[in-house]
């Protein structure tokens, strides 16, 4: 969600296309990146490493903590959903 939000807002600022237009006009890119991220999430399991998607199992790493990562992920999901909802009218939310 964080990557999608940043990429969508960056593309909107660069091109002026709203998020729904980006999803519609670039469906191959959306499917490709979604597939790539999904496949990448299975790699640790294929390599026979102990892996869990639970952020608390990772511990803190520098300024990144499990609690902050969960909060940022949730904020990005809410932001992406809100931007898609608000841009249904066709007007860009983030003007250049």
């Amino acid at each position: 969600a964080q990557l999608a939000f940043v990429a969508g807002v960056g593309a909107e600022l660069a091109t002026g296309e709203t998020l729904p237009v980006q999803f519609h006009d670039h469906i191959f890119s959306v499917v490709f990146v979604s597939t790539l991220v999904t496949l990448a999430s299975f790699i640790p399991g294929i390599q026979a490493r102990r892996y869990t998607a639970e952020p608390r199992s990772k511990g803190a790493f520098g300024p990144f903590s499990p609690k902050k990562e969960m909060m940022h992920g949730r904020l990005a999901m809410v932001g992406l959903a809100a931007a898609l909802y608000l841009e249904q009218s066709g007007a860009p939310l983030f003007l250049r």
Side-chain angles (χ1 to χ4, degrees):
Q2 294 171 15
L3 180 62
F5 184 77
V6 171
V9 170
E12 184 173 320
L13 290 172
T15 65
E17 291 182 336
T18 63
L19 292 174
V21 170
Q22 291 177 44
F23 278 109
H24 179 267
D25 292 351
H26 307 286
I27 191 67
F28 175 77
S29 298
V30 172
V31 170
F32 177 75
V33 169
S34 298
T35 303
L36 193 63
V37 168
T38 301
L39 290 174
S41 68
F42 288 108
I43 295 299
I46 293 171
Q47 294 178 340
R49 293 186 183 167
R50 201 178 105 183
Y51 174 74
T52 176
E54 178 62 41
R56 289 185 208 106
S57 68
K58 304 295 183 218
F61 177 73
F64 306 103
S65 69
K67 189 173 181 178
K68 288 179 184 175
E69 288 296 309
M70 286 179 58
M71 181 184 66
H72 292 153
R74 289 175 180 161
L75 288 173
M77 287 184 270
V78 169
L80 188 60
L84 285 169
Y85 177 76
L86 293 172
E87 290 185 346
Q88 289 299 318
S89 66
L93 185 61
F94 303 97
L95 300 175
R96 298 194 269 171

